[in-house]
Amino acid sequence: MVHTIPTRFDMAVTATYLYCIVHASRTPLTTRAPRGLPGATRPAAAAVARPFWLITASVPLDVYGPAALESSLRNVRWVTDVALAHESVVEHFARQPRATVIPMKLFTMFSSESLAIAETRSRIKDLEAVVERIAGCEEWGVRITRPPATAAGSSPRTSAAVSGTEFLSAKKAARDHARQSGSAAVESAEQAYLTLSGLARETRRRRDAPDGATTPPLLDAAFLVPVDRRRHFKAAVKKLADTSGGTRVALTGPWPSYNFIDAESNL
């Protein structure tokens, strides 16, 4: 996801890249932070207003400026590499003790560090509201999908010749079975969502089909889970997978709370 802060880069050769905002009583440790974006300086912490800190880097505009990005964004491999580098930095600071991290969208940039600090200070109240909502939590993703199946209208297999009536009856029975199974799978996914929501502070549910999928999953949701409920949440997902009745249950995480920072902050 691209998110460039509207600002002028006239005559500049670098910009300030913002990975995340950290809420912590002490300066975030950067000595063991990942290298970050290709071509960028190492991640550094900049004080905003205690207890908020920016994790920034200087990036060359001949690589990350608007004109360069317009071309580079068509290179899926390059964008993937940059996204992974961005995420590795955010996750590093999210793992630091007693820190709450507000992750930034990919390619969030300012013309200078002083402008990034000033912009952040102007939104302190919004940031405080975000921290109050996500502090002590992790984001987990759960996706429930149907397994590959034979199309409902395919010809029934038989070891002997059948009459036209028997053939049509078999096809109808196959369609009815597929319809009933599909309905049961949808109801099971809805129940799974309710069960997991009871263990989460907040949820975000995706209704469209992910890239590359021909149909939407039965469930594709993000859950903001308090750390002290992590074990119970993972156990609940495992139980769903063990009793899924043929559907596939996938758990991902923990992640920084990307899906839970936009509602009030407009970040």
Side-chain angles (χ1 to χ4, degrees):
M1 184 177 294
V2 179
H3 186 64
T4 304
I5 299 297
T7 188
R8 295 179 66 84
F9 294 109
D10 296 345
M11 305 304 292
V13 295
T14 63
T16 295
Y17 187 91
L18 181 56
Y19 289 102
C20 58
I21 301 172
V22 179
H23 181 275
S25 59
R26 297 182 179 180
T27 307
L29 298 176
T30 61
T31 52
R32 296 185 179 180
R35 187 70 180 82
L37 269 62
T41 59
R42 295 194 67 86
V48 178
R50 288 184 181 273
F52 288 100
W53 311 81
L54 302 184
I55 304 301
T56 67
S58 180
V59 294
L61 286 176
D62 61 353
V63 177
Y64 296 98
L69 281 179
E70 185 176 354
S71 173
S72 296
L73 289 176
R74 294 192 288 269
N75 185 334
V76 176
R77 176 63 181 273
W78 183 85
V79 174
T80 299
D81 289 344
V82 172
L84 291 173
H86 174 101
E87 179 64 20
S88 69
V89 173
V90 175
E91 290 185 7
H92 170 81
F93 290 97
R95 289 192 295 268
Q96 295 197 5
R98 295 179 292 281
T100 298
V101 167
I102 302 175
M104 293 294 102
K105 297 173 183 177
L106 193 61
F107 302 121
T108 296
M109 291 179 285
F110 296 83
S111 59
S112 66
E113 184 179 276
S114 60
L115 184 60
I117 292 172
E119 177 71 16
T120 306
R121 281 178 179 161
S122 72
R123 300 152 79 180
I124 287 295
K125 289 188 180 297
D126 290 336
L127 295 172
E128 289 173 342
V130 173
V131 169
E132 183 177 357
R133 188 165 71 249
I134 69 174
C137 293
E138 302 167 330
E139 179 175 319
W140 291 84
V142 176
R143 181 176 292 177
I144 301 178
T145 56
R146 296 181 177 90
T150 304
S154 61
S155 300
R157 294 182 179 180
T158 178
S159 59
V162 295
S163 69
T165 300
E166 291 172 330
F167 178 81
L168 293 175
S169 295
K171 289 192 68 174
K172 180 180 183 303
R175 286 196 299 269
D176 290 345
H177 175 72
R179 189 178 299 113
Q180 292 168 3
S181 297
S183 177
V186 170
E187 292 179 7
S188 177
E190 291 300 318
Q191 185 57 51
Y193 178 67
L194 292 175
T195 298
L196 297 177
S197 295
L199 295 170
R201 184 178 295 177
E202 287 189 34
T203 65
R204 295 285 186 274
R205 188 167 184 178
R206 181 176 181 172
R207 298 287 185 176
D208 59 328
D211 293 342
T214 56
T215 58
L218 296 168
L219 176 66
D220 190 3
F223 298 85
L224 185 64
V225 181
V227 173
D228 59 5
R229 297 184 197 168
R230 177 199 298 160
R231 182 171 59 84
H232 299 291
F233 185 83
K234 293 176 70 175
V237 174
K238 183 178 185 303
K239 182 177 180 180
L240 290 171
D242 291 342
T243 59
S244 63
T247 58
R248 296 177 175 177
V249 181
L251 174 69
T252 60
W255 308 106
S257 304
Y258 282 100
N259 283 293
F260 299 94
I261 64 171
D262 287 345
E264 297 175 12
S265 64
N266 292 318
L267 295 175

